[in-house]
Amino acid sequence: MRVVPSILAFASAFFLFGCGGSSSPSTITTPGILPTTTVLTVAPNPAIAGATVSLSATVTSTNNPANTSETPTGSVSFYDGTTLLGTAALASGSGDTATAVYTTSTLVASVSHSLTANYAGTADLAASTSTAVLLVVNAPAPAPTST
């Protein structure tokens, strides 16, 4: 006697349709962490050594199945390669977007600067890292000499 397929068929029907006699499958929603994207903009680019450079990271929560806004909160860390430049808090945003801004004037000339922004994430939003932005820092123009 082969009973296993019948039990599997019953179990499959029970799982798909529930025990309430519904004729359509049940939807099971498991709360999860929403993905985010982080976009870094750098200005000015190119820059002059010693001048202030502004790094702005915009963090957006994406693919929210409930179509509700989940505004990112927390902080963003800014990197030059693997060196941490600093961290800035996300300002209150609107909808599903928030922005953090970090400024620096310590980037040296004649060195390639590959800048990234890393959003730390929260209990509800996943961490994300921007694509790298290549910043060119030029040496300041020589001071004019009088003759």
Side-chain angles (χ1 to χ4, degrees), residues 19-129:
C19 60
S22 172
S23 61
S24 62
S26 300
T27 302
I28 300 171
T29 304
T30 303
I33 296 177
L34 295 174
T36 63
T37 58
T38 299
V39 176
L40 175 64
T41 56
V42 178
N45 190 2
I48 302 295
T52 299
V53 176
S54 178
L55 289 74
S56 178
T58 301
V59 180
T60 304
S61 63
T62 59
N63 298 329
N64 189 339
N67 283 335
T68 57
S69 292
E70 183 74 37
T71 304
T73 58
S75 63
V76 174
S77 298
F78 296 89
Y79 290 88
D80 181 1
T82 59
T83 302
L84 176 65
L85 294 173
T87 301
L90 285 165
S92 18
S94 62
D96 56 3
T97 300
T99 302
V101 177
Y102 177 79
T103 58
T104 183
S105 58
T106 61
L107 299 171
V108 297
S110 304
V111 176
S112 177
H113 297 279
S114 180
L115 306 175
T116 56
N118 183 311
Y119 171 57
T122 64
D124 297 321
L125 296 174
S128 60
T129 300

